[in-house]
Amino acid sequence: MEKDIATNQTILVIGGGIAGISAALEAAECGRQVILAERNALLGGRTLQLYRYFPKMCHPTCGLEINLRRIKANRNLRVLTMTEVVGVSGRRGSYRVKMKIHPRHVNEKCTACGDCASAVSSEIPNRLDYGLGKTRAAYLPHAMAYPMRYVIDPSIVGTEEGKRARQACRVGAVDLEMKEETIEIEAGSVIWATGWKPYDASKIQPYGYGRFPNVITSVEFERLADPGGPSGGRLLRPSDGKEAKNVAFIQCAGSRDENHLRHCSRICCMASLKQTRYVSEASDAKSTVYYIDIRAIDRFEDFYRKVQEDPSVSFVKSKVASISLDEASGDLFLNGVDTEGYHRYANRHDLVVLAIGMEPESLGMALPEDVVTDSSGFIEGGFGAGAASSPLDVNRSVQSATSAALFAISDIHRISATEEAS
Amino acid sequence: MSESFERYRSNFLREVEEKVEEGEWVKMCMQCGVCAGSCPFGPHWEHSPQKIFMMIRAGKREEVLSSDSMWMCTSCYNCIVRCPRKLPITHIMHGLANYSHRLGMAPKGQPTRQFAKLFWDNLVKKGRVNELKLTMKHYFRNGFSAGIREAMAMKEIGQGMMKAGRINPMEFFGGHAVKDLSGFHAMLAKAREIEDRKKGFSD
Ligand SMILES: Cc1cc2nc3c(=O)[nH]c(=O)nc-3n(C[C@H](O)[C@H](O)[C@H](O)COP(=O)(O)OP(=O)(O)OC[C@H]3O[C@@H](n4cnc5c(N)ncnc54)[C@H](O)[C@@H]3O)c2cc1C
Ligand code: SF4
Ligand code: SF4
Ligand code: SF4
Ligand code: SF4
C-alpha cells in the first residue's frame, strides 16, 4: 500500500552541471515544472573547467551551447544560480528544501558590457582555475557563462572599489545592497546532480602535494592546458614558469586505496591518457604514466591503443611509492618498484600530475532519510544524476540524468495517482 | 611426510592461508609495488613483500620458505601504513618467518634469526630477559676471540649501562625469575600446543 501523498509536483534538480542541466531539460520538456538550483554564478559545472574532453577531444562549450539553447526555449524550467541547497528534509512526494542565495551584486539589467571590470583593479583567486590564476573582483565567470551576467565579489562591497564598479555601470545593474538570503521551497521530487569534487591531494602524504610546487593535480593540469587558463595554454610548471618537458602522471592518486577513497574513480585513466595528448601536442615533451592497471572504460580501449603507439608516451606498471624533491632544480624523483620485472626506479621528472580521485560533492550534506548512499557516499537508487551517483564521464552522466528524470516524473505521477484514488 | 601435507604442497597459497599468521591476506595483494618501494631496505634484500606475495601465489614454496627476507624485516611499518589494500604486511612477514623456522627451512646462519633464537631461549629460561647473558651469548656466538674483540669494542657502552643500572653484573650468576616460573612455563607449553594444532605440527 502506498501511503505517500504528493503535496507538490515540482521537480527540483540540485546542481547545474552537465547532469543537472540534462535532467532538468528532460523533465521540463516532458511538461513538468522544474527548478534547477546551482550554487555557482553560472551553469556548466566541472566540465567547463576541462580544456577538452575525451573521447572526441572536443571543447566542453560545444556540448553546453545546445543545452543553453534548449534552456532558453523552455518555459517550464526555472534556473536559479548562486543558489546553494543547504538542506533537504521530508520524503518522496513532499520535500522541504532550504536554499541559500548568495549575493551576486549584479541584477538582471546587466548587459555584460564589462565596464565594471575595467573600473576595478583588485584581484581575487580565479575559482574556475582552481585558484591557479587571478581575476578582477568584478568579473564574468566564463566567456560562455549562462546567465551572461557579471559578478561583483563580496570582498569589494563597501569599499571604494565597489563604488567605482557601481559608478561605471551605465544601466544601473550593480546593486551593492544585495544580501545573502535563505529561502525554503517545496518539491515533490528531488534529483541529486550535485556532482563530484577532487579528493584532497595533500592527504596523500608521500606525494608531497602542497609541499612540492611542481606536484599538481589533474584538474589543475586541465587549466594549464586551456588557452583561456592561467598560463594561456602553455604547460608551465608552477615553481619557475619553465615549460614542462618530462611530465609524469600518477594514476589512482587517492583512489582504489583503503587509506583514501575505496572506489576506482573510473575516469582518471582516460583523463590521463587524454592529457598525454595535451603534452605531445604542446611541444616535444615526454609523458610517463605510472599505473596499477589502465582502466579505459568500455569502448575507449581504442583511445588507449592510440596513446600506446605515441612514441612520446611511456608506461610504467607501478604505483609510485613516494616522491622526493630536488631542491636546486625543483625537479622530482619518483621512487618505486615496477611490477613487470620488479625493477627499482628513482625517475626524474620536471612536472608531476596526480590523477586525482573523484568523491561526491554531497558528502557532509544532510540528506533526507529516503536517500541512500553507497560506501563512498555516492547517491544510489535512481535519483542521483551524473557524478553524484557514481564517478562517470560526461557521456554516462547525461545518460544517468535522463534516467533520473524518468524516475522523478514517474514518481510524482505514481504518488499523485495514489492521492487521487484515496 | 604425511599425505595431507603433500596435498598442500601442490597449493602453497592455501597452505599459507591456513598455517601462516595473517596468511589469508596474501590473495588480497594487487601487486601495486608500494610496499616494495616504501621499504627502507630498498635494493638490499632479495625478496620484497610484493615479490614474496607473488611467489606464494606462484607456488614457489622452496624459495619463499628459505628466503632470508622475512628475517630482515625491521617492523618499521612503513609498508603497512601505505598499502592501498591494507594488508598487514609486517605481520605476514613475521608469520612466514615463524612458519619456515618451524619447518626447519629457514636459512641457517642468518644473523637476525640467530639473535631471535638467542633472545627466545634466554627469555624462556626465567620468564625475563637476562640482558647480561644475552649480550655475552651474542658476542661469543662466533667463538671466543671474536667475542672478546666485540666485547672490548663495546666496553664503554657496557660500563655506561651498568652505571645506569640497565645491566646488573650479578645476573651472571643465574639472574632472577618471574614470580610463578612454573606457571609461566605451563602457559608457554599451552600456547605451543595451540600453535602446533593450528599449523599441523604434531611432533
Ligand atoms: C581530471 C578530469 C578530467 C576529466 N576529463 C573528462 C573528459 O575528458 N571527458 C569526459 O567525458 N569526462 C571527463 N571528466 C569527468 C567529468 O568532469 C564529469 O563527468 C562531469 O563533470 C560530471 O558532471 P556532473 O554534472 O555530474 O557534475 P559536476 O560537473 O560536478 O556538476 C555539479 C554541479 O552541482 C553544483 N552543486 C553541487 N552541490 C550543490 C548544492 N548543494 N547546491 C547547488 N548546487 C550544487 C556544483 O556547483 C556543480 O556546478 C574528467 C574528470 C576529471 C577529474
Ligand atoms: S554590471 Fe553593468 S557595467 Fe558590469 S557588465 Fe553588467 S552592465 Fe556592464
Ligand atoms: S580509472 Fe584508472 S586511475 Fe582512476 S582510479 Fe580507476 S584505475 Fe585508478
Ligand atoms: S602495497 Fe599492498 S597491495 Fe601493493 S604490492 Fe604491497 S602488499 Fe600488495
Ligand atoms: S615493516 Fe618490514 S617489510 Fe615493511 S617496510 Fe618495514 S622493514 Fe620493510
Side-chain angles (χ1 to χ4, degrees), chain A residues 320-381:
Chain A
V320 173
S322 65
I323 296 178
S324 38
L325 173 72
D326 180 52
E327 300 258 359
S329 63
D331 287 356
L332 302 144
F333 285 99
L334 273 54
N335 309 301
V337 171
D338 93 50
T339 304
E340 292 170 327
Y342 300 112
H343 308 293
R344 195 165 290 280
Y345 59 82
N347 294 346
R348 193 182 190 121
H349 292 278
D350 55 11
L351 183 68
V352 175
V353 180
L354 305 178
I356 201 72
M358 295 160 88
E359 61 180 345
E361 185 72 84
S362 57
L363 279 181
M365 196 171 162
L367 302 175
E369 272 173 33
D370 55 9
V371 173
V372 186
T373 58
D374 69 13
S375 65
S376 297
F378 291 104
I379 289 163
E380 295 196 312

Side-chain angles (χ1 to χ4, degrees), chain A residues 206 257-259 319 321 339 342 344, chain B residues 31-32 36 42 50 54 81 84:
Chain A
D257 192 330
E258 296 286 337
N259 301 306
K319 185 171 167 80
T339 304
Y342 300 112
R344 195 165 290 280
Chain B
Q31 289 292 301
C32 69
Q50 178 192 22
M54 199 61 211
V81 298

Side-chain angles (χ1 to χ4, degrees), chain B residues 28-36 50 53 83-85 87 89:
Chain B
M28 292 300 290
C29 169
M30 64 171 163
Q31 289 292 301
C32 69
V34 162
C35 56
Q50 178 192 22
F53 300 158
C83 172
R85 286 278 175 91
L87 268 75
I89 301 168

